[in-house]
Amino acid sequence: MSIVLVTGSAGLIGSESVRFFCDKDFTVVGIDNNMREAFFGEGASTLWNRDRLLEKYGDKYIHHHSDIRDREAISEIFKTYGSEIELIVHTAAQPSHDWAARDPFTDFTVNANGTLNLLENTRQHCPDAVFVFCSTNKVYGDNPNLLPLVELETRWEIEESHPFYDGIDETMSIDRCKHSLFGASKVAADVLVQEYGRYFDMKTACFRGGCLTGPSHSGAELHGFLSYLMKCTVTGKPYNIYGYKGKQVRDNIHSYDLVNAFYHFYQNPRIAEIYNIGGGRSSNCSMLEAIHQCEEIADKKLNWEYRETNRIGDHIWWIGDLKSFKSHYPEWDLTYNVRDILEEIYTQNVDRW
């Protein structure tokens, strides 16, 4: 039996991974204890998504309501499936800057200690498996904010002559900058994933994403940019913009495109790789541009307010350069842009909201 183990399996990228690999006839073992609800409240619960997966895939999807920090529980799961585990897709995390500052111990133990627990169990029980880690562009801290940005009507932008115009690549330093505590805990996990690859010759990769999005996102104010923005537009819930005149830019990658990138890596894995992954130049938007598109799609006006103070560690402009991953996996490409993503978020959730 070929098993794919997915952590955070009821979340955005986790549930996309479950669907992707079940549809390819793998057995998927999921680990998710709905901590997203504990982080962000009842509206961010992922139980609806878990139940949908269980109903659709039956015996092909095996769910464990376990905490990735629980050494005994995680060890038991790995012992049960052992060398049948061919791929670990680790997406479980505490994902918010602001929440991390409220409870640094929980943030660090989930993001760093939880990752260590998974890596060590992989080494002990299925060392030949491929280990894919859902990292973040926040490992670069606020270094992107030092770029020479130009203010345009609806967005911040970078000069076309700049080396990073096509996107920020993996040469940017992760040192000597402010990360937020969330960024710091993800740096710890990111470096651990690399080190297990180099030190133990394991097939590991860190995918440093920008804005990961899609219709399965349980968006909340502190995490889930496009999903939460569309939800607020549809429901009339007030939305807050924090700093940078609402012109901050994000690249956005659909969960399917990201998981498809994981699949390409799994098919031809490498040792201790890092990849900036996101929407790149073909799928990005500013806050103001995203609001305009949401209002067009929903045919409603968003009730939003502007707050001058930006979030600590937040990026003014982030577009990732995809050339490193594409050079290794030239058959992979994006299939969604921002407009496609927003329309799908709307059509698949408007009745649920």
Side-chain angles (χ1 to χ4, degrees):
M1 184 165 56
S2 297
I3 288 176
V4 176
L5 189 148
V6 179
T7 72
S9 57
L12 171 67
I13 307 304
S15 64
E16 190 74 65
S17 299
V18 173
R19 289 190 295 272
F20 188 99
F21 288 102
C22 280
D23 288 343
K24 291 191 178 296
D25 291 327
F26 288 85
T27 297
V28 178
V29 174
I31 300 173
D32 195 311
N33 63 341
N34 195 29
M35 273 202 78
R36 189 173 178 86
E37 182 175 14
F39 295 145
F40 306 128
E42 185 178 352
S45 171
T46 59
L47 294 181
W48 65 275
N49 213 8
R50 178 204 64 186
D51 293 344
R52 189 168 65 175
L53 295 171
L54 288 167
E55 181 180 354
K56 181 174 182 179
Y57 292 109
D59 293 342
K60 292 176 71 174
Y61 176 58
I62 304 165
H63 187 87
H64 291 268
H65 187 85
S66 299
D67 191 316
I68 60 170
R69 297 171 295 177
D70 186 333
R71 293 175 64 180
E72 185 175 335
I74 297 303
S75 178
E76 195 59 38
I77 291 170
F78 273 84
K79 285 178 184 176
T80 298
Y81 303 104
S83 60
E84 292 181 327
I85 300 173
E86 295 186 2
L87 170 64
I88 295 92
V89 179
H90 175 28
T91 78
Q94 190 299 110
S96 167
H97 295 291
D98 298 336
W99 200 96
R102 299 175 192 171
D103 189 346
F105 284 100
T106 298
D107 172 77
F108 195 86
T109 54
V110 169
N111 290 346
N113 295 38
T115 301
L116 175 60
N117 197 15
L118 294 162
L119 285 164
E120 182 59 18
N121 275 283
T122 301
R123 184 173 79 92
Q124 294 291 338
H125 301 291
C126 49
D128 293 327
V130 176
F131 192 102
V132 166
F133 174 51
C134 210
S135 189
T136 172
N137 59 10
K138 300 306 186 293
V139 299
Y140 297 107
D142 60 4
N143 274 333
N145 293 351
L146 302 178
L147 295 172
L149 300 176
V150 178
E151 184 178 359
L152 304 180
E153 183 178 356
T154 61
R155 61 161 49 202
W156 295 97
E157 198 43 276
I158 195 167
E159 293 283 0
E160 289 190 34
S161 59
H162 195 279
F164 285 161
Y165 177 76
D166 289 331
I168 296 168
D169 66 27
E170 297 83 0
T171 63
M172 176 171 275
S173 174
I174 66 172
D175 294 323
R176 298 183 180 180
C177 56
K178 182 185 287 184
H179 290 82
S180 81
L181 294 177
F182 157 73
S185 65
K186 292 294 280 191
V187 165
D190 188 299
V191 173
L192 276 170
V193 172
Q194 292 182 58
E195 195 60 29
Y196 265 74
R198 289 191 176 89
Y199 200 92
F200 299 114
D201 200 35
M202 290 168 59
K203 298 180 283 285
T204 69
C206 299
F207 285 80
R208 295 172 173 174
C211 278
L212 317 180
T213 188
S216 297
H217 215 174
S218 297
E221 182 177 13
L222 296 184
H223 186 255
F225 169 33
L226 292 185
S227 173
Y228 186 67
L229 182 61
M230 182 60 82
K231 182 177 182 179
C232 289
T233 306
V234 169
T235 63
K237 184 179 177 67
Y239 187 89
N240 294 313
I241 295 176
Y242 294 95
Y244 306 131
K245 303 181 182 180
K247 298 182 180 183
Q248 54 267 57
V249 169
R250 300 288 182 271
D251 68 352
N252 298 271
I253 185 170
H254 190 284
S255 50
Y256 172 84
D257 288 334
L258 179 60
V259 175
N260 191 30
F262 297 166
Y263 181 58
H264 279 70
F265 181 83
Y266 160 75
Q267 291 177 298
N268 187 20
R270 301 164 66 92
I271 302 294
E273 278 292 351
I274 57 169
Y275 298 113
N276 288 353
I277 197 82
R281 268 291 169 191
S282 63
S283 180
N284 64 82
C285 62
S286 71
M287 290 288 302
L288 294 179
E289 291 163 356
I291 288 170
H292 177 68
Q293 292 196 51
C294 284
E295 291 177 336
E296 279 189 343
I297 293 166
D299 196 25
K300 289 185 177 182
K301 284 291 183 183
L302 176 68
N303 175 20
W304 62 274
E305 291 186 10
Y306 179 72
R307 301 179 185 274
E308 188 64 41
T309 303
N310 61 278
R311 286 171 168 159
I312 296 173
D314 209 8
H315 293 154
I316 305 173
W317 182 91
W318 177 274
I319 293 176
D321 190 339
L322 311 182
K323 70 174 180 290
S324 179
F325 185 77
K326 285 188 171 184
S327 70
H328 293 164
Y329 304 95
E331 294 182 359
W332 176 87
D333 206 352
L334 296 169
T335 61
Y336 288 81
N337 61 30
V338 171
R339 184 73 179 203
D340 299 330
I341 292 167
L342 285 172
E343 288 178 349
E344 192 176 79
I345 289 172
Y346 175 79
T347 57
Q348 293 195 25
N349 290 282
V350 63
D351 294 335
R352 184 172 69 88
W353 290 332

